[in-house]
Amino acid sequence: MSEGLKEISKMDVNGQETFMLDKDIVAQYSGKFSKLFGKSSSGSTRKLKVIFHDFPGGAEGFELMLRFCYSNGKTDITPSNLVLAHCAAEFMEMKESVAGVSNLLAQTEKSLQETSYWTWSDLLVALKQCQNIGSVSDSSLMLEKCLDSLVGRLVLACEASPCPSTCSPDSSGFRFSCDSKSTESIKTNFSHSTWWFDDLIFLSPLNIERLVKSMLVRKLDQVVISRFLLFYQKAKFSAATTDEKRKIIEMIIDMLSNMDVSCVSCKTLFGILRLTLGLNISKCSRNKLENMIGSQLDQTTLDNLLVPSPYGISYLYDVNLVLRFLKAFQGQGKNSLVTPIRMKKVAVLVDLYIAEIAPDPCLKPSKFVALATALPDYARDSYDELYHAMDMYLKVHAGLCEEERMKISCGLNYEKLSAQACLHLSQNTNFPSNSAVQALISQQSKLNNLLHGTPSYTSFTDSPSSSTDAGKKGRKGETSEQIVLYSGKFDVSADNEKLRAHLRGMHCRVMELEKICKKMQTQMVKISKSRASGNSYARSLPKLCS
């Protein structure tokens, strides 16, 4: 400290640090002091008291500014004090040169141009100072510059080393070593690409967001960026409050949504989803997370989908969440990203999920139907699994009215039920009677096609539970494949008379069943006209079938 600055600092009665200044010295460097002291009479000898409540850097920044003034504009500006000096100079309006010597602001701005030559450690020190100073507008500009220099170092590391390798950040550049004769393990390679993770966890969520945006602009590897975000979350959560956790998770979701969806696994996204359950994150962030998961729904597992229902919902699992996933998954179709193979994988997963939730006595029929009909018809080659899930649901919910049972059975495509499933359905009292009729007629159509060797079939359009027009179009395109599926069980050749006789016998049996179904339909019309109750009709069915 210079001679003129000795013992001018002391503590007042309130514990605040105060400075006794020579106004003539500081006024020539500081435009703000010059204005303040100029208002007092030139001949006045009374002491003036000036209080700064928002001085950048507090007492440390003020003392740095005074040291510059009392040293006749000479001071050693380093990365460790540049941020404080620059913010103090801006605050005190130290712009004009004095006696041909550049003022503090000009000197700090010149030093800022040299950030590209700083060591990694110097950049970290400057970033910490920027963050500690807080919301000073000038510090934000410096922070952006420091972050840009830091990201530049990381990009340089990636470009200079084609393979992940060891490097030293504490130099004006990076030193690399890569032995092409040796093969490093995946774990070693990963550690080489993530050496900087620990150094940056001191940054606030807002500054992490700025950092990641700069990384994305500079085309840094998005897989490494996503791993850093997850590392940051784990490092910060242990000591964070609920509100801090919410801000961290929202920042991570927002940043991941700006990256390629393939850089984060579906399992990882579900892990983030579970972290959000008790944090009440914003609706916007939640939608982004659900859309990311939905876009990869074909890569997930049943265990991931079994998310408990939110508080206040009676049913066991969060069905609405899965419906939103399905909507997001199918929404990709606009970009031609959903292939038939991916759609069929999701259909298998959904059928497993429906079978898992079917025994839930609190699950509403509307939610069950929404899940059963959420995917297009072409997504399923067989409806057997969905049928068994419906059967389980109807057994648990035995009190459903006929109309609700009808809505549930409408989710079936009878043409894609196996012979065993159709036979079971024809005898299943849990389903509406017209479902049994349609199942039998569907099987008759298949047998007729086999006997006559025709690849086409006549669709049954008079049933109240027939599928939608879109579903019919999908089935017509798949009829040939369906017939091959069944005929593949038999060697249907022109010389196999025994097989033909066997098929004719089956055809006769189907004809008998069809007659019984017609009787059932007639009885249904009579009961409808006489306005008989559903219970009396149910009692009459065993007599008809006996």
Side-chain angles (χ1 to χ4, degrees), residues 497-511:
E497 294 298 333
K498 291 183 179 180
L499 178 59
R500 288 183 176 276
H502 177 68
L503 290 175
R504 290 191 188 97
M506 292 178 63
H507 181 65
C508 292
R509 177 58 180 161
V510 170
M511 294 295 291

Side-chain angles (χ1 to χ4, degrees), residues 351-466:
D351 287 349
L352 290 173
Y353 182 77
I354 293 175
E356 189 72 24
I357 67 172
D360 184 356
C362 297
L363 183 62
K364 296 179 180 179
S366 60
K367 296 300 178 184
F368 187 91
V369 171
L371 276 173
T373 59
L375 295 175
D377 181 72
Y378 74 85
R380 293 182 175 92
D381 292 327
S382 170
Y383 274 71
D384 283 16
E385 294 301 324
L386 183 58
Y387 163 69
H388 291 308
M390 287 182 176
D391 183 34
M392 188 184 307
Y393 183 81
L394 291 174
K395 285 179 180 177
V396 175
H397 300 78
L400 296 180
C401 65
E402 189 75 4
E403 182 181 357
E404 289 174 323
R405 293 171 183 270
M406 286 285 295
K407 289 180 180 179
I408 291 173
S409 64
C410 282
L412 289 175
N413 180 347
Y414 298 93
E415 298 293 338
K416 292 186 178 181
L417 286 175
S418 66
Q420 293 84 354
C422 283
L423 179 61
H424 187 275
L425 176 56
S426 66
Q427 302 171 357
N428 194 337
T429 58
N430 294 321
F431 278 76
S433 55
N434 64 334
S435 295
V437 174
Q438 187 157 352
L440 291 171
I441 292 178
S442 172
Q443 289 305 298
Q444 181 194 15
S445 176
K446 292 175 185 177
L447 285 173
N448 283 335
N449 291 335
L450 285 173
L451 287 170
H452 295 90
T454 58
S456 60
Y457 68 93
T458 303
S459 62
F460 185 81
T461 58
D462 296 331
S463 170
S465 62
S466 60

Side-chain angles (χ1 to χ4, degrees), residues 51-115:
I51 300 175
F52 294 113
H53 295 288
D54 53 354
F55 196 93
E60 183 181 357
F62 192 80
E63 183 176 340
L64 182 63
M65 181 272 299
L66 289 181
R67 185 178 294 112
F68 176 84
C69 297
Y70 278 87
S71 300
N72 298 319
K74 297 177 182 179
T75 188
D76 186 18
I77 299 177
T78 65
S80 61
N81 63 21
L82 174 60
V83 177
L84 279 177
H86 185 77
C87 293
E90 186 73 26
F91 185 84
M92 297 303 295
E93 302 176 10
M94 302 174 72
K95 302 176 182 179
E96 302 296 333
S97 299
V98 179
V101 178
S102 299
N103 211 333
L104 183 58
L105 186 61
Q107 292 187 35
T108 57
E109 287 178 346
K110 182 180 179 180
S111 297
L112 275 174
Q113 304 304 317
E114 301 174 356
T115 54

Side-chain angles (χ1 to χ4, degrees), residues 61-327:
F62 192 80
E63 183 176 340
L64 182 63
M65 181 272 299
L66 289 181
R67 185 178 294 112
F68 176 84
C69 297
Y70 278 87
S71 300
N72 298 319
K74 297 177 182 179
T75 188
D76 186 18
I77 299 177
T78 65
S80 61
N81 63 21
L82 174 60
V83 177
L84 279 177
H86 185 77
C87 293
E90 186 73 26
F91 185 84
M92 297 303 295
E93 302 176 10
M94 302 174 72
K95 302 176 182 179
E96 302 296 333
S97 299
V98 179
V101 178
S102 299
N103 211 333
L104 183 58
L105 186 61
Q107 292 187 35
T108 57
E109 287 178 346
K110 182 180 179 180
S111 297
L112 275 174
Q113 304 304 317
E114 301 174 356
T115 54
S116 58
Y117 302 103
W118 290 2
T119 66
W120 178 266
S121 298
D122 289 338
L123 287 171
L124 295 180
V125 170
L127 282 172
K128 288 177 181 178
Q129 286 190 354
C130 288
Q131 185 165 277
N132 292 337
I133 289 176
S135 60
V136 179
S137 59
D138 204 53
S139 69
S140 298
L141 297 175
M142 295 186 65
L143 185 139
E144 294 288 350
K145 189 169 184 64
C146 290
L147 287 176
D148 187 66
S149 296
L150 185 142
V151 173
R153 294 297 177 85
L154 296 177
V155 173
L156 177 63
C158 295
E159 293 175 350
S161 179
C163 64
S165 58
T166 57
C167 56
S168 173
D170 293 321
S171 61
S172 59
F174 284 95
R175 297 189 296 273
F176 302 96
S177 64
C178 183
D179 184 2
S180 59
K181 297 181 181 180
S182 63
T183 302
E184 297 179 76
S185 67
I186 295 177
K187 182 177 180 181
T188 303
N189 289 342
F190 176 75
S191 65
H192 288 158
S193 63
T194 61
W195 56 264
W196 48 274
F197 282 14
D198 278 312
D199 292 340
L200 300 182
I201 59 174
F202 71 88
L203 293 173
S204 67
L206 177 60
N207 290 333
I208 290 291
E209 182 176 345
R210 292 170 174 169
L211 173 71
V212 171
K213 286 180 178 179
S214 180
M215 289 177 170
L216 294 176
V217 170
R218 301 289 291 271
K219 307 298 182 182
L220 206 66
D221 187 352
Q222 293 188 6
V223 174
V224 176
I225 298 175
S226 65
R227 287 173 176 171
F228 168 66
L229 289 172
L230 298 175
F231 179 88
Y232 180 82
Q233 173 264 311
K234 291 179 181 178
K236 287 290 190 179
F237 257 42
S238 59
T241 64
T242 300
D243 188 57
E244 290 171 339
K245 290 178 180 178
R246 179 182 57 79
K247 291 179 180 179
I248 292 171
I249 284 293
E250 287 181 347
M251 178 273 296
I252 291 174
I253 293 172
D254 291 345
M255 292 299 98
L256 291 177
S257 66
N258 293 323
M259 303 182 199
D260 191 289
V261 69
S262 62
C263 70
V264 185
S265 69
C266 203
K267 180 180 179 181
T268 298
L269 292 175
F270 270 103
I272 296 175
L273 176 67
R274 283 177 166 78
L275 289 175
T276 67
L277 295 181
L279 295 179
N280 192 29
I281 65 172
S282 68
K283 185 177 180 180
C284 179
S285 295
R286 186 171 296 279
N287 289 341
K288 289 179 181 178
L289 178 59
E290 291 175 0
N291 286 334
M292 285 190 286
I293 294 175
S295 65
Q296 302 185 63
L297 197 58
D298 55 314
Q299 301 176 26
T300 191
T301 64
L302 176 61
D303 288 340
N304 288 331
L305 290 183
L306 298 177
V307 179
S309 287
Y311 180 78
I313 303 297
S314 58
Y315 37 89
L316 187 59
Y317 296 112
D318 196 345
V319 177
N320 291 325
L321 178 65
V322 176
L323 288 172
R324 293 196 295 272
F325 288 157
L326 289 170
K327 183 178 179 181

Side-chain angles (χ1 to χ4, degrees), residues 339-349 378-381:
T339 62
I341 294 177
R342 295 184 66 203
M343 187 68 77
K344 289 178 180 181
K345 284 184 179 180
V346 172
V348 172
L349 178 65
Y378 74 85
R380 293 182 175 92
D381 292 327

